[in-house]
Amino acid sequence: MTVNEGEPLRLYRKALRYAESDPEVFLGAARRAAESILLDIALREAVGSKPTLEYLLTALSAKNLVPPKVALAVRTIQNYGNYGSHAQDASTEEISADDVQPCLTALTQLAAWYGQTSASLAEDAVRHDLLGHQRRTGTTRLADSTLIVVKAVLLGCGLEAALARRNHRVAPVQLPWSDHLVRDVSTRLLDLAVYNEQRVDRLLQAERDVHEQVVTVGRVGHSMGGRNFYLLAARGGRWDGATAQEFLADPAGAQIAVPKQSDMFGNLLSALSTDEAGLADRGVTVLDVPHHLGLELFHLNRDVLAVGGQNLRMHAQEHDGYFELLNSDMLPPPIRARLRSAAANVLIANRSWLAELDLHPADLHRELMRSFHECGSDDETYEGIVRDLVTHASFPPETLAESRERLVRHVLFESYRWGRP
């Protein structure tokens, strides 16, 4: 499965770009984005319908494929789309950016639900395919990734060569970064995966099957060296001119855009030393946004704050209109240490797979890490990995090739001290 944001999210991002510059055009674009989202769900679920918003919503709702709250958001988009088309016929009617705020909010709610739903459907399809194929002797199923930090480990640790010496070939399987990876290793749908150490430890403690079948092979580094948290703000917005200390002392009224089903949300809670209920008590609102959303989210609200991945961070650094209101370096040492711990990643394996290859976890870890560290000291190998990551890692669709390479080199240096700063 290749990570691709697809036509629905492309239309969503396009609609956001018109929210301030041309609100009337935005309303039409929002309706087209909503139609595209519902059509994609209908096609994935084999639901027959005419490709119009009304028919799609009716057909999907009848099969309980659209939650009531999401259906309400679609109705809001539909009503505003109708209003926009009528307003364009009346020369005296003018729509402002403020007028379309409810439609903006509804569209983002729909896109967030779609991002989670489409990822789940794609994930289910991959697992169904794996279950339908009999495991071949001498084949190791490895969880592949388009995340720079993880893919670098997979490219550089020499796993294919290590297993070839044991008459095994690697079969990479593209699956999203989630707790399901650990469960897939426990059921032997996968044999190996790289995942967040804290999340693995929690699952080992909480789920019996995981505890019995999964073993931690060893740590493989820290994402961005543990300095991967930041809170992005827009120039000219509410927080322009505020210091990190002022924000931490009184964050009331802040709206923070972050994918809630992600380690980014966990980092936010850790940075603010609170939980989700504590955020609400301090007057902070969380906007659950899709993982792939970029700087367009500031069209939703210039006052919003964003917690995102390194793609968004690098994109913002290339524009004068954004700044980091808060990041890891601005936090007290105990919180920095907590964030660094939360950024550690480990290689995990299925116990039966290790037994079949007569491998001890510590021995395998030493062998792989020896190869991995050699990659960082060999210029030719390092440059080859950079090229591979620029080609195969995930980036926002509008990112230029030179920006991708700059991001790859930056992430590799911060995470593994490869190359130069």
Side-chain angles (χ1 to χ4, degrees), residues 61 138 156 374:
S61 296
E374 288 173 356

Side-chain angles (χ1 to χ4, degrees), residues 176-212:
W177 174 270
S178 76
D179 289 356
H180 288 300
L181 290 180
V182 186
R183 299 185 181 103
D184 289 340
V185 173
S186 74
T187 61
R188 196 98 194 259
L189 202 63
L190 297 171
D191 298 305
L192 286 169
V194 172
Y195 196 51
N196 178 268
E197 184 175 47
Q198 285 192 359
R199 296 300 306 171
V200 170
D201 288 345
R202 289 192 187 106
L203 290 168
L204 286 170
Q205 294 172 20
E207 300 186 17
R208 181 177 177 180
D209 289 345
V210 172
H211 176 76
E212 291 179 348

Side-chain angles (χ1 to χ4, degrees), residues 262-279:
S262 72
D263 56 350
M264 289 178 276
F265 184 56
N267 286 342
L268 171 66
L269 298 178
S270 186
L272 299 184
S273 299
T274 188
D275 55 18
E276 188 169 357
L279 284 181

